[in-house]
PDB file of all heavy atoms in Angstrom:
ATOM      1  N   CYS A   8     104.671 127.179  87.574  1.00  0.00           N
ATOM      2  CA  CYS A   8     103.578 126.539  88.357  1.00  0.00           C
ATOM      3  C   CYS A   8     104.136 125.704  89.473  1.00  0.00           C
ATOM      4  O   CYS A   8     103.590 125.672  90.574  1.00  0.00           O
ATOM      5  CB  CYS A   8     102.712 125.727  87.397  1.00  0.00           C
ATOM      6  SG  CYS A   8     101.670 126.698  86.284  1.00  0.00           S
ATOM      7  N   THR A  37     118.572 125.985 113.633  1.00  0.00           N
ATOM      8  CA  THR A  37     117.417 126.065 112.738  1.00  0.00           C
ATOM      9  C   THR A  37     117.799 125.648 111.328  1.00  0.00           C
ATOM     10  O   THR A  37     118.959 125.819 110.890  1.00  0.00           O
ATOM     11  CB  THR A  37     116.849 127.485 112.679  1.00  0.00           C
ATOM     12  OG1 THR A  37     117.852 128.413 112.251  1.00  0.00           O
ATOM     13  CG2 THR A  37     116.310 127.928 114.042  1.00  0.00           C
ATOM     14  N   VAL A  58     121.875 125.555 107.549  1.00  0.00           N
ATOM     15  CA  VAL A  58     121.675 125.397 108.991  1.00  0.00           C
ATOM     16  C   VAL A  58     122.283 126.592 109.696  1.00  0.00           C
ATOM     17  O   VAL A  58     123.391 127.032 109.377  1.00  0.00           O
ATOM     18  CB  VAL A  58     122.308 124.082 109.512  1.00  0.00           C
ATOM     19  CG1 VAL A  58     122.089 123.968 111.018  1.00  0.00           C
ATOM     20  CG2 VAL A  58     121.728 122.870 108.795  1.00  0.00           C
ATOM     21  N   LYS A  68     119.714 136.146 132.864  1.00  0.00           N
ATOM     22  CA  LYS A  68     118.286 135.980 133.122  1.00  0.00           C
ATOM     23  C   LYS A  68     117.515 137.300 133.121  1.00  0.00           C
ATOM     24  O   LYS A  68     116.293 137.278 133.103  1.00  0.00           O
ATOM     25  CB  LYS A  68     118.070 135.275 134.470  1.00  0.00           C
ATOM     26  CG  LYS A  68     118.597 133.812 134.482  1.00  0.00           C
ATOM     27  CD  LYS A  68     118.314 133.168 135.815  1.00  0.00           C
ATOM     28  CE  LYS A  68     118.799 131.705 135.805  1.00  0.00           C
ATOM     29  NZ  LYS A  68     118.537 131.021 137.099  1.00  0.00           N
ATOM     30  N   VAL A 107     126.174 149.176 121.232  1.00  0.00           N
ATOM     31  CA  VAL A 107     126.263 149.984 120.005  1.00  0.00           C
ATOM     32  C   VAL A 107     126.796 149.115 118.862  1.00  0.00           C
ATOM     33  O   VAL A 107     126.281 149.155 117.744  1.00  0.00           O
ATOM     34  CB  VAL A 107     127.146 151.207 120.230  1.00  0.00           C
ATOM     35  CG1 VAL A 107     127.362 151.966 118.926  1.00  0.00           C
ATOM     36  CG2 VAL A 107     126.495 152.133 121.264  1.00  0.00           C
ATOM     37  N   TYR A 114     132.849 135.609 106.906  1.00  0.00           N
ATOM     38  CA  TYR A 114     132.196 134.569 106.138  1.00  0.00           C
ATOM     39  C   TYR A 114     132.934 134.312 104.822  1.00  0.00           C
ATOM     40  O   TYR A 114     133.688 135.147 104.305  1.00  0.00           O
ATOM     41  CB  TYR A 114     130.722 134.867 105.875  1.00  0.00           C
ATOM     42  CG  TYR A 114     130.405 136.103 105.094  1.00  0.00           C
ATOM     43  CD1 TYR A 114     130.256 136.065 103.720  1.00  0.00           C
ATOM     44  CD2 TYR A 114     130.207 137.335 105.742  1.00  0.00           C
ATOM     45  CE1 TYR A 114     129.933 137.209 103.017  1.00  0.00           C
ATOM     46  CE2 TYR A 114     129.867 138.469 105.029  1.00  0.00           C
ATOM     47  CZ  TYR A 114     129.740 138.404 103.656  1.00  0.00           C
ATOM     48  OH  TYR A 114     129.415 139.535 102.944  1.00  0.00           O
ATOM     49  N   TYR A 115     132.668 133.119 104.278  1.00  0.00           N
ATOM     50  CA  TYR A 115     133.254 132.666 103.035  1.00  0.00           C
ATOM     51  C   TYR A 115     132.155 132.154 102.121  1.00  0.00           C
ATOM     52  O   TYR A 115     131.212 131.498 102.604  1.00  0.00           O
ATOM     53  CB  TYR A 115     134.277 131.563 103.264  1.00  0.00           C
ATOM     54  CG  TYR A 115     134.706 130.867 101.968  1.00  0.00           C
ATOM     55  CD1 TYR A 115     135.611 131.483 101.114  1.00  0.00           C
ATOM     56  CD2 TYR A 115     134.168 129.635 101.608  1.00  0.00           C
ATOM     57  CE1 TYR A 115     135.967 130.885  99.909  1.00  0.00           C
ATOM     58  CE2 TYR A 115     134.537 129.024 100.428  1.00  0.00           C
ATOM     59  CZ  TYR A 115     135.450 129.633  99.585  1.00  0.00           C
ATOM     60  OH  TYR A 115     135.783 129.055  98.386  1.00  0.00           O
ATOM     61  N   PHE A 127     118.369 145.549  97.688  1.00  0.00           N
ATOM     62  CA  PHE A 127     118.816 145.453  99.078  1.00  0.00           C
ATOM     63  C   PHE A 127     118.270 144.172  99.759  1.00  0.00           C
ATOM     64  O   PHE A 127     118.703 143.813 100.849  1.00  0.00           O
ATOM     65  CB  PHE A 127     118.341 146.650  99.903  1.00  0.00           C
ATOM     66  CG  PHE A 127     119.114 147.903  99.623  1.00  0.00           C
ATOM     67  CD1 PHE A 127     118.631 148.845  98.722  1.00  0.00           C
ATOM     68  CD2 PHE A 127     120.318 148.174 100.256  1.00  0.00           C
ATOM     69  CE1 PHE A 127     119.334 150.017  98.465  1.00  0.00           C
ATOM     70  CE2 PHE A 127     121.018 149.342 100.020  1.00  0.00           C
ATOM     71  CZ  PHE A 127     120.544 150.264  99.120  1.00  0.00           C
ATOM     72  N   ILE A 160     123.013 153.174 115.538  1.00  0.00           N
ATOM     73  CA  ILE A 160     123.343 154.571 115.537  1.00  0.00           C
ATOM     74  C   ILE A 160     122.168 155.373 116.069  1.00  0.00           C
ATOM     75  O   ILE A 160     121.028 154.877 116.094  1.00  0.00           O
ATOM     76  CB  ILE A 160     123.724 155.067 114.107  1.00  0.00           C
ATOM     77  CG1 ILE A 160     122.596 154.831 113.128  1.00  0.00           C
ATOM     78  CG2 ILE A 160     124.987 154.365 113.635  1.00  0.00           C
ATOM     79  CD1 ILE A 160     122.869 155.348 111.746  1.00  0.00           C
ATOM     80  N   ARG A 174     137.644 136.680  94.131  1.00  0.00           N
ATOM     81  CA  ARG A 174     138.017 136.486  92.735  1.00  0.00           C
ATOM     82  C   ARG A 174     136.733 136.082  92.023  1.00  0.00           C
ATOM     83  O   ARG A 174     135.945 135.266  92.535  1.00  0.00           O
ATOM     84  CB  ARG A 174     139.121 135.451  92.574  1.00  0.00           C
ATOM     85  CG  ARG A 174     138.758 134.049  92.964  1.00  0.00           C
ATOM     86  CD  ARG A 174     139.810 133.058  92.524  1.00  0.00           C
ATOM     87  NE  ARG A 174     139.318 131.669  92.602  1.00  0.00           N
ATOM     88  CZ  ARG A 174     139.855 130.651  91.954  1.00  0.00           C
ATOM     89  NH1 ARG A 174     140.909 130.842  91.190  1.00  0.00           N
ATOM     90  NH2 ARG A 174     139.350 129.445  92.077  1.00  0.00           N
ATOM     91  N   ILE A 189     130.687 122.569  83.207  1.00  0.00           N
ATOM     92  CA  ILE A 189     130.329 121.523  82.247  1.00  0.00           C
ATOM     93  C   ILE A 189     131.289 121.488  81.061  1.00  0.00           C
ATOM     94  O   ILE A 189     131.738 120.411  80.656  1.00  0.00           O
ATOM     95  CB  ILE A 189     128.891 121.717  81.724  1.00  0.00           C
ATOM     96  CG1 ILE A 189     127.887 121.739  82.879  1.00  0.00           C
ATOM     97  CG2 ILE A 189     128.509 120.612  80.722  1.00  0.00           C
ATOM     98  CD1 ILE A 189     126.455 122.044  82.454  1.00  0.00           C
ATOM     99  N   ASP A 192     135.995 124.819  77.897  1.00  0.00           N
ATOM    100  CA  ASP A 192     136.236 125.950  76.993  1.00  0.00           C
ATOM    101  C   ASP A 192     135.447 127.186  77.389  1.00  0.00           C
ATOM    102  O   ASP A 192     135.719 128.275  76.898  1.00  0.00           O
ATOM    103  CB  ASP A 192     135.902 125.579  75.546  1.00  0.00           C
ATOM    104  CG  ASP A 192     136.863 124.550  74.954  1.00  0.00           C
ATOM    105  OD1 ASP A 192     137.951 124.371  75.559  1.00  0.00           O
ATOM    106  OD2 ASP A 192     136.511 123.909  73.963  1.00  0.00           O
ATOM    107  N   THR A 199     140.373 139.723  90.331  1.00  0.00           N
ATOM    108  CA  THR A 199     140.314 139.872  91.773  1.00  0.00           C
ATOM    109  C   THR A 199     139.753 141.236  92.161  1.00  0.00           C
ATOM    110  O   THR A 199     139.986 142.227  91.470  1.00  0.00           O
ATOM    111  CB  THR A 199     141.707 139.698  92.411  1.00  0.00           C
ATOM    112  OG1 THR A 199     142.590 140.703  91.907  1.00  0.00           O
ATOM    113  CG2 THR A 199     142.282 138.316  92.099  1.00  0.00           C
ATOM    114  N   PHE A 200     139.028 141.282  93.294  1.00  0.00           N
ATOM    115  CA  PHE A 200     138.359 142.481  93.783  1.00  0.00           C
ATOM    116  C   PHE A 200     138.730 142.660  95.243  1.00  0.00           C
ATOM    117  O   PHE A 200     138.678 141.710  96.036  1.00  0.00           O
ATOM    118  CB  PHE A 200     136.842 142.360  93.665  1.00  0.00           C
ATOM    119  CG  PHE A 200     136.305 142.344  92.257  1.00  0.00           C
ATOM    120  CD1 PHE A 200     136.454 141.214  91.452  1.00  0.00           C
ATOM    121  CD2 PHE A 200     135.672 143.450  91.751  1.00  0.00           C
ATOM    122  CE1 PHE A 200     135.952 141.195  90.150  1.00  0.00           C
ATOM    123  CE2 PHE A 200     135.179 143.448  90.438  1.00  0.00           C
ATOM    124  CZ  PHE A 200     135.302 142.293  89.655  1.00  0.00           C
ATOM    125  N   TRP A 209     117.624 153.365 107.542  1.00  0.00           N
ATOM    126  CA  TRP A 209     117.038 154.415 108.386  1.00  0.00           C
ATOM    127  C   TRP A 209     115.534 154.168 108.489  1.00  0.00           C
ATOM    128  O   TRP A 209     114.791 154.380 107.544  1.00  0.00           O
ATOM    129  CB  TRP A 209     117.315 155.785 107.792  1.00  0.00           C
ATOM    130  CG  TRP A 209     117.013 156.917 108.735  1.00  0.00           C
ATOM    131  CD1 TRP A 209     115.901 157.712 108.735  1.00  0.00           C
ATOM    132  CD2 TRP A 209     117.795 157.329 109.838  1.00  0.00           C
ATOM    133  NE1 TRP A 209     115.958 158.619 109.756  1.00  0.00           N
ATOM    134  CE2 TRP A 209     117.116 158.392 110.462  1.00  0.00           C
ATOM    135  CE3 TRP A 209     119.008 156.920 110.373  1.00  0.00           C
ATOM    136  CZ2 TRP A 209     117.614 159.054 111.581  1.00  0.00           C
ATOM    137  CZ3 TRP A 209     119.511 157.560 111.480  1.00  0.00           C
ATOM    138  CH2 TRP A 209     118.820 158.625 112.086  1.00  0.00           C
ATOM    139  N   TYR A 230     137.062 152.395  91.704  1.00  0.00           N
ATOM    140  CA  TYR A 230     135.697 152.618  91.271  1.00  0.00           C
ATOM    141  C   TYR A 230     134.805 152.694  92.513  1.00  0.00           C
ATOM    142  O   TYR A 230     135.184 152.281  93.623  1.00  0.00           O
ATOM    143  CB  TYR A 230     135.203 151.506  90.359  1.00  0.00           C
ATOM    144  CG  TYR A 230     135.231 150.130  90.981  1.00  0.00           C
ATOM    145  CD1 TYR A 230     134.175 149.664  91.741  1.00  0.00           C
ATOM    146  CD2 TYR A 230     136.369 149.329  90.867  1.00  0.00           C
ATOM    147  CE1 TYR A 230     134.214 148.417  92.341  1.00  0.00           C
ATOM    148  CE2 TYR A 230     136.406 148.077  91.464  1.00  0.00           C
ATOM    149  CZ  TYR A 230     135.337 147.646  92.196  1.00  0.00           C
ATOM    150  OH  TYR A 230     135.378 146.425  92.818  1.00  0.00           O
ATOM    151  N   ASP A 262     134.133 155.703  84.943  1.00  0.00           N
ATOM    152  CA  ASP A 262     133.761 154.975  83.739  1.00  0.00           C
ATOM    153  C   ASP A 262     134.444 153.609  83.643  1.00  0.00           C
ATOM    154  O   ASP A 262     134.230 152.874  82.690  1.00  0.00           O
ATOM    155  CB  ASP A 262     134.095 155.805  82.476  1.00  0.00           C
ATOM    156  CG  ASP A 262     135.552 156.183  82.415  1.00  0.00           C
ATOM    157  OD1 ASP A 262     136.341 155.753  83.274  1.00  0.00           O
ATOM    158  OD2 ASP A 262     135.907 156.936  81.472  1.00  0.00           O
ATOM    159  N   LEU A 287     107.495 145.010  84.085  1.00  0.00           N
ATOM    160  CA  LEU A 287     106.804 143.788  83.686  1.00  0.00           C
ATOM    161  C   LEU A 287     106.840 143.546  82.183  1.00  0.00           C
ATOM    162  O   LEU A 287     106.608 142.437  81.729  1.00  0.00           O
ATOM    163  CB  LEU A 287     105.339 143.847  84.156  1.00  0.00           C
ATOM    164  CG  LEU A 287     105.166 144.141  85.638  1.00  0.00           C
ATOM    165  CD1 LEU A 287     103.729 144.568  85.938  1.00  0.00           C
ATOM    166  CD2 LEU A 287     105.568 142.961  86.488  1.00  0.00           C
ATOM    167  N   ALA A 296     123.014 150.542  83.146  1.00  0.00           N
ATOM    168  CA  ALA A 296     123.233 151.981  83.376  1.00  0.00           C
ATOM    169  C   ALA A 296     124.353 152.243  84.376  1.00  0.00           C
ATOM    170  O   ALA A 296     124.606 151.402  85.245  1.00  0.00           O
ATOM    171  CB  ALA A 296     121.916 152.624  83.864  1.00  0.00           C
ATOM    172  N   GLY A 332     121.444 156.228  82.172  1.00  0.00           N
ATOM    173  CA  GLY A 332     122.465 156.668  81.221  1.00  0.00           C
ATOM    174  C   GLY A 332     123.768 155.925  81.431  1.00  0.00           C
ATOM    175  O   GLY A 332     124.006 155.362  82.496  1.00  0.00           O
ATOM    176  N   ASP A 340     122.037 158.079  71.403  1.00  0.00           N
ATOM    177  CA  ASP A 340     121.661 156.661  71.296  1.00  0.00           C
ATOM    178  C   ASP A 340     121.744 155.893  72.610  1.00  0.00           C
ATOM    179  O   ASP A 340     121.169 154.830  72.732  1.00  0.00           O
ATOM    180  CB  ASP A 340     122.532 155.958  70.234  1.00  0.00           C
ATOM    181  CG  ASP A 340     124.025 156.057  70.529  1.00  0.00           C
ATOM    182  OD1 ASP A 340     124.387 156.332  71.694  1.00  0.00           O
ATOM    183  OD2 ASP A 340     124.834 155.866  69.614  1.00  0.00           O
ATOM    184  N   LEU A 375      90.948 137.301  92.845  1.00  0.00           N
ATOM    185  CA  LEU A 375      89.859 136.678  92.093  1.00  0.00           C
ATOM    186  C   LEU A 375      89.554 135.275  92.564  1.00  0.00           C
ATOM    187  O   LEU A 375      88.413 134.818  92.586  1.00  0.00           O
ATOM    188  CB  LEU A 375      90.208 136.646  90.604  1.00  0.00           C
ATOM    189  CG  LEU A 375      90.005 137.922  89.803  1.00  0.00           C
ATOM    190  CD1 LEU A 375      90.525 137.745  88.384  1.00  0.00           C
ATOM    191  CD2 LEU A 375      88.531 138.323  89.795  1.00  0.00           C
ATOM    192  N   GLN A 390     104.103 148.967  77.652  1.00  0.00           N
ATOM    193  CA  GLN A 390     105.325 149.775  77.667  1.00  0.00           C
ATOM    194  C   GLN A 390     105.200 150.987  76.760  1.00  0.00           C
ATOM    195  O   GLN A 390     104.814 150.845  75.589  1.00  0.00           O
ATOM    196  CB  GLN A 390     106.500 148.912  77.221  1.00  0.00           C
ATOM    197  CG  GLN A 390     107.831 149.596  77.236  1.00  0.00           C
ATOM    198  CD  GLN A 390     108.952 148.687  76.738  1.00  0.00           C
ATOM    199  OE1 GLN A 390     109.785 149.100  75.924  1.00  0.00           O
ATOM    200  NE2 GLN A 390     108.974 147.448  77.202  1.00  0.00           N
ATOM    201  N   MET A 410      99.448 138.943  82.858  1.00  0.00           N
ATOM    202  CA  MET A 410     100.123 138.130  83.884  1.00  0.00           C
ATOM    203  C   MET A 410      99.162 137.621  84.928  1.00  0.00           C
ATOM    204  O   MET A 410      98.093 138.197  85.160  1.00  0.00           O
ATOM    205  CB  MET A 410     101.186 138.986  84.607  1.00  0.00           C
ATOM    206  CG  MET A 410     102.292 139.518  83.686  1.00  0.00           C
ATOM    207  SD  MET A 410     102.851 141.126  84.265  1.00  0.00           S
ATOM    208  CE  MET A 410     101.437 142.162  83.868  1.00  0.00           C
TER     209      MET A 410
END
Side-chain angles (χ1 to χ4, degrees):
C8 288
T37 58
V58 179
K68 294 182 178 180
V107 173
Y114 62 92
Y115 168 77
F127 285 96
I160 59 177
R174 65 169 194 161
I189 302 176
D192 292 343
T199 61
F200 292 75
W209 192 258
Y230 59 87
D262 58 4
L287 307 164
D340 57 20
L375 278 175
Q390 181 182 135
M410 299 146 290

